[in-house]
Amino acid sequence: MKVVGMQPAVGRLCFRNKLVLAPMVRVGTLPMRLLALDYGADIVYCEELIDLKMLQCRRVENEVLETVDFVAPDEKVVFRTCQREKEHVVFQMGTADPQRALRVAQLVENDVAGIDVNMGCPKEYSTKGGMGAALLSDPDKIEAILLSLVKGISKPVTCKIRILPSLEDTVSLAQRIEKTGVAAIAVHGRKKEERPQHPVHCDVIEAVTKALSIPVIANGGSLDHVRVHADIAAFQAATGASSIMLARAAMWNPSVFRREGSLPLEEVMTQYLRYAVRYDNHASNTKYCLCQMLREKLESPLGKQLHAAQTTADICEVFGLQDFWKETEDRLQHRQSTVPAKNLNTEDLSEDSDVIKMPVKFDRREYAPQITPKMFLLEWSRKEKLPQPVYETVQRPLDRFFCSTVTAAGRKYRSTVWDKSKKLAEQAAAIVSLRSLGLPEGRLGEADSGLVNKRRREDPAGSDVAEEPAVPASEKQQPSLPWERVALWTKPSASVRS
């Protein structure tokens, strides 16, 4: 039997003799998919995304990250992809409605290589509303969904199922699915009530393979059958399947796809982290995936450091990638400053002639503990009996970065550098104001101006624990000041079929 992973995909996605990264919730995001491709996967599935959530999204071409983002109304990126994986990524959706399924597929089909319907996940996340493994008891709906997709889009359609209580019913359902015109079917060799500790039923997958003419992708062998790349051929032989789909084995170490053998885990984790930084992956998701790779090593010194990390910068420090993180941040900052104004459906901020601008970024490490430029600007305004500074902040959906303008002493000030955080953008605007006015801003090594008074805070035992500026109690009770307003920039989505 020919070993999978030997044929390159040409044109329309082919599902024969392929190594496939399985769809995994929270794991199958862009960094993991790209890493799997690097190590030898032929096809990568994204995590299951629910149709109702996707239908709320707009398509955004992110010129800063060089990605295509599908962005929810709350500005969170639900699905992110890039040119590198365009001919290899399969979009998996959770759906129980043919019309909704078609609308989602039409929304994303020009940015992916194929569309898959989840019919196998037994968890409540998938089964509520009749999705996931709940579809297995409704063959008519399965047929309606798949026919709608096969007829309605130009990309290949697949589905992923679990086996039914009887072999005959499993084969019968698979044959009915084949008649809809799908390009392939993935079979997880367990029943919907079975879990990873239960053995995978290779004989059932083999029976389905013999009964169909379309490719069958075997899934479910990570624990019993596939631990290293050399095991893949044996699992394929045991199931007779056209291709092999790996989930947990790939989650634990994506280099399982390498024909030359797996790489040391820390090397793999470092490469994953580089992709996470490059594509601005959310820190909590990055941390989750790295923790899945560590598994039993979570109590090691490395695991404890990772557990304590809160931000992407923290995680990079754990793996000695501080310089890479800083270089990438600087490069993305430069890119966002050069994004053409035509991409934004609002006025071009750079044309505001009445605003004093500087390329400034607030770095917490350069300032004294508990001291910020906003504090200095506020105290100076009070001392001069001037109105309190007013911050107006905008966010662009292109990359969800912020830019803030502060009005102080009758003038407007702004940094030309956009920032991920609204708070950091406001601090940058305050720095521009303070430097323009020739005022201190609280940087380390700066002579004490006395502008912001400090008082020593004590713990109940009476020992000194920190210094903090004296802030009126009324302000402590109002962390979101009434004069701070946020506006949202919007960009029209590219035209899509609906």
Side-chain angles (χ1 to χ4, degrees):
M1 177 175 291
K2 190 172 184 177
V3 178
V4 297
M6 298 297 291
Q7 296 182 352
V10 178
R12 183 179 172 88
L13 191 62
C14 171
F15 292 89
R16 291 193 184 277
N17 296 314
K18 301 298 179 186
L19 279 177
V20 186
L21 176 70
M24 292 179 280
V25 173
R26 295 190 69 185
V27 175
T29 48
L30 183 57
M32 181 64 77
R33 300 196 303 267
L34 293 176
L35 195 59
L37 289 174
D38 285 351
Y39 290 140
D42 301 294
I43 300 171
V44 291
Y45 280 58
C46 76
E47 60 178 332
E48 178 194 16
L49 296 169
I50 305 303
D51 56 4
L52 288 171
K53 188 168 187 177
M54 283 300 299
L55 288 175
Q56 300 175 39
C57 294
R58 68 186 187 283
R59 180 183 183 276
V60 176
E61 294 183 11
N62 188 329
E63 296 183 34
V64 175
L65 296 177
E66 298 176 324
T67 60
V68 173
D69 299 340
F70 291 85
V71 184
D74 61 1
E75 296 307 312
K76 292 183 179 179
V77 177
V78 176
F79 175 59
R80 169 168 286 162
T81 185
C82 67
Q83 187 64 34
R84 164 77 173 87
E85 68 168 4
K86 187 173 182 178
E87 303 302 323
H88 305 274
V89 63
V90 174
F91 180 91
Q92 188 189 65
M93 74 173 83
T95 186
D97 182 88
Q99 287 72 41
R100 288 203 304 267
L102 180 58
R103 288 175 60 197
V104 171
Q106 290 173 337
L107 176 65
V108 304
E109 68 169 315
N110 291 329
D111 299 301
V112 300
I115 302 292
D116 181 83
V117 179
N118 183 347
M119 300 180 179
C121 183
K123 297 184 179 180
E124 184 181 0
Y125 170 88
S126 295
T127 58
K128 62 182 179 182
M131 300 182 296
L135 283 172
L136 295 175
S137 60
D138 195 344
D140 290 341
K141 184 172 287 186
I142 287 177
E143 184 176 2
I145 291 171
L146 294 177
L147 283 173
S148 174
L149 292 173
V150 170
K151 294 177 180 179
I153 65 173
S154 61
K155 297 295 174 69
V157 176
T158 65
C159 67
K160 185 171 183 287
I161 68 169
R162 284 196 169 218
I163 64 175
L164 299 177
S166 74
L167 174 62
E168 295 74 15
D169 288 343
T170 304
V171 172
S172 177
L173 176 62
Q175 290 174 327
R176 187 169 179 179
I177 288 173
E178 180 180 31
K179 292 177 181 178
T180 65
V182 296
I185 179 172
V187 181
H188 183 118
R190 293 185 179 87
K191 301 170 187 177
K192 66 179 182 180
E193 66 272 10
E194 292 180 329
R195 293 298 178 265
Q197 63 268 28
H198 296 102
V200 63
H201 301 276
C202 293
D203 57 328
V204 179
I205 300 177
E206 184 178 28
V208 172
T209 300
K210 291 179 178 179
L212 304 185
S213 60
I214 61 173
V216 172
I217 307 169
N219 175 235
S222 290
L223 188 62
D224 299 328
H225 295 271
V226 180
R227 296 179 182 273
V228 295
H229 188 278
D231 297 332
I232 294 174
F235 183 46
Q236 186 182 18
T239 59
S242 301
S243 299
I244 299 299
M245 175 182 279
L246 300 180
R248 285 169 298 147
M251 175 180 70
W252 296 330
N253 189 333
S255 68
V256 69
F257 289 111
R258 291 181 80 247
R259 295 182 62 198
E260 303 83 356
S262 298
L263 295 171
L265 189 58
E266 284 197 34
E267 180 179 340
V268 174
M269 296 173 75
T270 298
Q271 187 57 38
Y272 169 85
L273 184 53
R274 285 178 176 272
Y275 273 131
V277 173
R278 164 66 180 85
Y279 289 102
D280 195 26
N281 200 50
H282 197 282
S284 63
N285 180 256
T286 299
K287 180 176 176 178
Y288 175 83
C289 291
L290 291 171
C291 286
Q292 295 306 307
M293 294 184 205
L294 275 180
R295 298 172 66 202
E296 68 275 2
K297 297 180 181 178
L298 279 173
E299 293 303 315
S300 67
L302 177 65
K304 291 179 180 179
Q305 292 178 57
L306 177 60
H307 180 72
Q310 298 298 317
T311 66
T312 299
D314 293 341
I315 298 172
C316 286
E317 188 170 354
V318 172
F319 289 87
L321 292 178
Q322 305 97 310
D323 291 343
F324 175 77
W325 178 82
K326 184 65 168 61
E327 291 168 3
T328 304
E329 286 290 296
D330 291 343
R331 184 166 61 252
L332 294 180
Q333 292 283 2
H334 174 71
R335 281 185 188 171
Q336 70 191 32
S337 68
T338 61
V339 171
K342 61 183 176 65
N343 288 329
L344 305 172
N345 186 27
T346 185
E347 62 178 336
D348 180 3
L349 292 183
S350 65
E351 297 301 320
D352 293 345
S353 58
D354 62 333
V355 180
I356 298 175
K357 297 178 283 290
M358 295 181 188
V360 170
K361 183 176 176 63
F362 174 71
D363 187 339
R364 171 76 269 179
R365 295 168 296 183
E366 297 178 357
Y367 291 81
Q370 307 298 326
I371 295 295
T372 68
K374 284 183 68 176
M375 292 179 182
F376 272 81
L377 186 58
L378 177 61
E379 291 302 319
W380 177 80
S381 299
R382 286 172 172 165
K383 180 180 178 182
E384 298 298 319
K385 296 182 169 48
L386 295 170
Q388 296 184 87
V390 175
Y391 295 86
E392 297 192 49
T393 306
V394 294
Q395 183 187 35
R396 58 184 182 189
L398 176 71
D399 52 11
R400 300 169 61 204
F401 277 56
F402 294 87
C403 183
S404 186
T405 302
V406 62
T407 301
R411 294 297 304 270
K412 293 182 178 181
Y413 305 88
R414 177 190 306 139
S415 172
T416 57
V417 178
W418 291 69
D419 209 297
K420 292 181 181 179
S421 161
K422 171 181 177 287
K423 293 181 179 180
L424 295 180
E426 291 175 348
Q427 296 290 359
I431 293 173
V432 175
S433 175
L434 291 165
R435 292 182 184 178
S436 299
L437 294 168
L439 298 171
E441 58 189 78
R443 291 172 67 91
L444 293 172
E446 197 175 75
D448 184 11
S449 64
L451 194 58
V452 175
N453 296 319
K454 297 181 181 179
R455 60 183 172 80
R456 189 166 292 278
R457 177 165 56 87
E458 297 182 351
D459 67 11
S463 60
D464 297 330
V465 294
E467 286 190 338
E468 60 182 15
V471 179
S474 60
E475 290 185 22
K476 290 183 179 180
Q477 296 168 359
Q478 300 178 0
S480 298
L481 302 178
W483 56 83
E484 297 180 333
R485 303 186 295 276
V486 177
L488 176 64
W489 283 13
T490 60
K491 174 194 174 188
S493 60
S495 59
V496 293
R497 296 163 61 186
S498 59

